[in-house]
Amino acid sequence: MNQSAGSLSLRVDLHSHSTASDGSLAPQELLERAAGQGVSLFSITDHDTVGAYEQLSVPQGMQLLPGVELSCVWSGVTVHVVGLDVALDSSPLGAALMQQDDARRQRAQVIGERLAKRGFDGAYKGALALAGNRAVGRPDFAQFLVSAGHVQSVNEAFDRYLGAGKIGDVKAMWPALATVVQWIREAGGVAVLAHPLHYKLTATKLRALIADFAAAGGEAMEVSNGRPSNDELSYARRLCKQFGLEASVGSDFHRPTPWSELGCDVALAGDCPPVWRRWLKP
């Protein structure tokens, strides 16, 4: 779906990740790569942190939009909401991110305890060391299991111990969906429902999620995240229009691979009102 940097069409990317959370590129490297892909409007939306925005030099011709991706719970399902154009010095946002960090740390401790009971001593401390200054997550536990010789690969770690339904699949004590939307609005931002088709909900439950999101004050949803199929793109656009939301697009970039790259053609919004019209002028 994403076109090459040589395209004459305008390109934006409102969902990406750096080493401040679970991405592989440092924030400045991420910016420069996005610029190289011809991205005009860009947002780094790390998980539950805005640490990427310290000491950045924005490439000429690019507009950087402060962003964050927050975890929450709706009807027992972990859901992600992107906050765009948030005030980085917002006191409510700062307090919210501290709460999110506590939730992540508590979750990591439980994962570590469960893995220890399976004979993987030192998992929590090992994962913390690998995470460094960022919040610890399951990928860090996976890397610990690889480095300690318990598994051969990160994929095997998730398949055997950390994936859905496995011993390390611990549900974090995330806040409610409406609470996270309120945090974003209090920080002056626009709440965007991230990758709605990734939650594997039935059509009825997905519509209920989007309805509750809109009722809570959410204003946009991602119609394109990564590389959707044409059917997925059309379906997401229909939902976007049905609930009167603006359309957002993002690569959800974490690391360079043959299947993912920064930048999305604005045409991906189709006939939905694009959220980026708030910031980009014709």
Side-chain angles (χ1 to χ4, degrees), residues 105-253:
R105 190 168 293 274
Q106 291 174 25
R107 178 198 193 200
Q109 288 173 341
V110 174
I111 293 174
E113 290 168 0
R114 289 187 178 186
L115 290 175
K117 290 180 180 178
R118 291 292 294 270
F120 305 135
D121 293 333
Y124 178 62
K125 288 185 178 180
L128 275 181
L130 289 167
N133 293 327
R134 56 176 172 77
V136 64
R138 282 185 297 171
D140 300 303
F141 283 100
Q143 191 58 56
F144 166 79
L145 291 174
V146 172
S147 61
H150 299 303
V151 294
Q152 296 298 312
S153 68
V154 168
N155 285 341
E156 183 185 352
F158 273 89
D159 289 342
R160 296 181 63 183
Y161 304 111
L162 299 167
K166 305 301 180 181
I167 191 171
D169 181 23
V170 177
K171 304 303 180 186
M173 290 172 269
W174 301 126
L177 172 68
T179 298
V180 161
V181 172
Q182 181 182 357
W183 285 345
I184 293 170
R185 291 173 63 88
E186 288 177 348
V190 176
V192 181
L193 182 62
H195 40 67
L197 303 188
H198 289 195
Y199 304 119
K200 307 301 182 184
L201 299 173
T202 65
T204 299
K205 286 187 176 181
L206 179 56
R207 287 194 295 271
L209 165 62
I210 298 173
D212 286 350
F213 172 74
E219 299 178 76
M221 61 172 273
E222 291 180 351
V223 298
S224 176
N225 178 280
R227 288 188 171 184
S229 68
N230 288 331
D231 287 344
E232 290 172 331
L233 186 58
S234 296
Y235 181 38
R237 287 169 175 169
R238 290 198 301 272
L239 290 170
C240 189
K241 289 186 287 186
Q242 178 182 350
F243 290 93
L245 297 175
E246 297 174 28
S248 186
V249 298
S251 63
D252 203 357
F253 182 92

Side-chain angles (χ1 to χ4, degrees), residues 28-57:
Q28 189 63 45
E29 291 180 285
L30 191 64
L31 275 185
E32 292 169 1
R33 189 179 185 96
Q37 291 297 315
V39 176
S40 297
L41 180 66
F42 188 59
S43 186
I44 303 175
T45 55
D46 281 313
H47 293 285
D48 305 303
T49 178
V50 291
Y53 288 92
E54 299 175 3
Q55 299 181 338
L56 286 179
S57 177

